Amino acid sequence: MSIAIRLARPDDAAALAAIYAPYVTDTVISFETVPPAEAEMATRLAKTLARFPWLVAVCDGEVAGYAYAGQHRERAAYQWSADVSVYVYKDFQRRGIGRALYTPLFAILRALGYYNVYAGIALPNRGSVALHEAMDMTPVGVYRHVGYKAGMWHDVGWWEGSLRQQSAEPQPPRALLDAASIATWDSWLTHGELPAREPQAQP
């Protein structure tokens, strides 16, 4: 099975919605209760790609999974941290697709200037815990009984990962589409050549 990773496109919205829907309707992995329709997924995709990467895995011509990043918190001091999520279509699970998505996602975030990544996992979820810990993320705490779904209260564990060594004077992260064109990012995903960061102007 060949896996190709690229940035998500507007015409992926239907596939993304189809992958995500069972996580909403059949599990407590997502705390949403109504699956977003194709139009809503397209809106979410466009909003995310303005600032953050959203990647899809294409296996034998079919979108088999996706991973994306988003804002961790709104206040300015949090700007160097991002939340990450990954979803894989059930027929393609346990084939390394989650890691194949997260590896370039983390690399892009690092290139954009992010320092930390965080992931919330509804517990128990051994598969998701194993994936995030395989990405060198470590558990930092649990929100007890934080969500109610399917007639039960559920805990959410939080995992954190470091993308780079801390700096005393970090530059603000760049937005994805301010840093490079979609074509440039797709070229890197194919060939492994990250867009260079522009040097900061000296006062």
Side-chain angles (χ1 to χ4, degrees), residues 33-77:
T33 57
V34 178
E38 177 182 349
E40 170 60 20
M41 191 62 82
T43 298
R44 295 182 187 188
L45 176 61
K47 182 178 179 180
T48 298
L49 283 175
R51 291 184 55 194
F52 295 97
W54 186 318
L55 306 181
V56 297
V58 180
C59 300
D60 301 326
E62 181 177 353
V63 177
Y66 65 89
Y68 63 92
Q71 185 176 31
H72 179 63
R73 293 289 186 273
E74 290 187 6
R75 294 182 179 175

Side-chain angles (χ1 to χ4, degrees), residues 79-112:
Q79 67 183 285
W80 292 274
S81 297
D83 286 351
V84 294
S85 297
V86 60
Y87 295 93
V88 178
Y89 185 62
K90 60 182 178 63
D91 291 348
F92 290 93
Q93 292 175 358
R94 302 184 185 278
R95 301 190 189 183
I97 292 174
R99 190 161 187 169
L101 283 161
Y102 261 173
T103 299
L105 185 83
F106 287 16
I108 291 174
L109 289 170
R110 186 181 302 113
L112 292 174

